[in-house]
Amino acid sequence: MSRIAISHRQGVLWASTQSVLGGSLALELEAAILEAAAIGRFAVTVLDMAAVTAMDSSGVGALVRLQTALATKGRRLILANPQPNVADELRLRDLYGFFQVSRDIHPDMDTEELLLARDA
């Protein structure tokens, strides 16, 4: 059973995973999202982090590489619904502002709504 779920809806790539984002899971998630985004040429990718309970340095590194790889191709990455401790990990590393982080994101939103949703 895969630990990563990837789908698309309304022209947006949606990815999610559960548990701790770290180690081999972080690398698998990064590779899966980059491959799916390239194949589908999705302008927006949402990583739903609602079920991510924690994140280590390899998870942070994977997110930074994802953000950078997608941005250099003119694409957007949105980190959606992070648990407070995951958001705190990004703040602790002074990376929260590096990402578009949004709460209350769901697949029924259109691309414009997703791009406008952003935590303060």
Side-chain angles (χ1 to χ4, degrees):
M1 183 171 97
S2 177
R3 303 180 291 175
I4 300 165
I6 295 183
S7 62
H8 59 87
R9 187 166 182 168
Q10 297 187 39
V12 175
L13 180 69
W14 288 83
S16 64
T17 190
Q18 298 179 356
S19 190
V20 175
L21 182 57
S24 63
L25 177 60
L27 295 174
E28 289 173 35
L29 180 68
E30 177 185 359
I33 290 174
L34 288 175
E35 181 179 348
I39 290 170
R41 300 195 174 161
F42 294 98
V44 178
T45 298
V46 176
L47 175 55
D48 190 345
M49 301 184 76
V52 175
T53 57
M55 179 171 53
D56 68 11
S57 60
S58 60
V60 172
L63 293 180
V64 169
R65 288 188 302 274
L66 266 174
Q67 169 69 12
T68 303
L70 292 172
T72 58
K73 294 177 179 159
R75 299 177 182 169
R76 300 283 292 272
L77 173 65
I78 301 171
L79 303 182
N81 311 311
Q83 296 293 322
N85 58 329
V86 172
D88 288 345
E89 183 68 29
L90 293 174
R91 284 186 190 98
L92 177 70
R93 296 169 186 266
D94 201 24
L95 289 170
Y96 194 86
F98 181 69
F99 298 100
Q100 179 176 345
V101 181
S102 301
R103 299 192 191 287
D104 300 322
I105 297 279
H106 53 84
D108 293 329
M109 297 172 81
D110 65 30
T111 304
E112 187 174 328
E113 288 177 301
L114 289 171
L115 292 173
L116 291 174
R118 186 176 190 106
D119 287 359

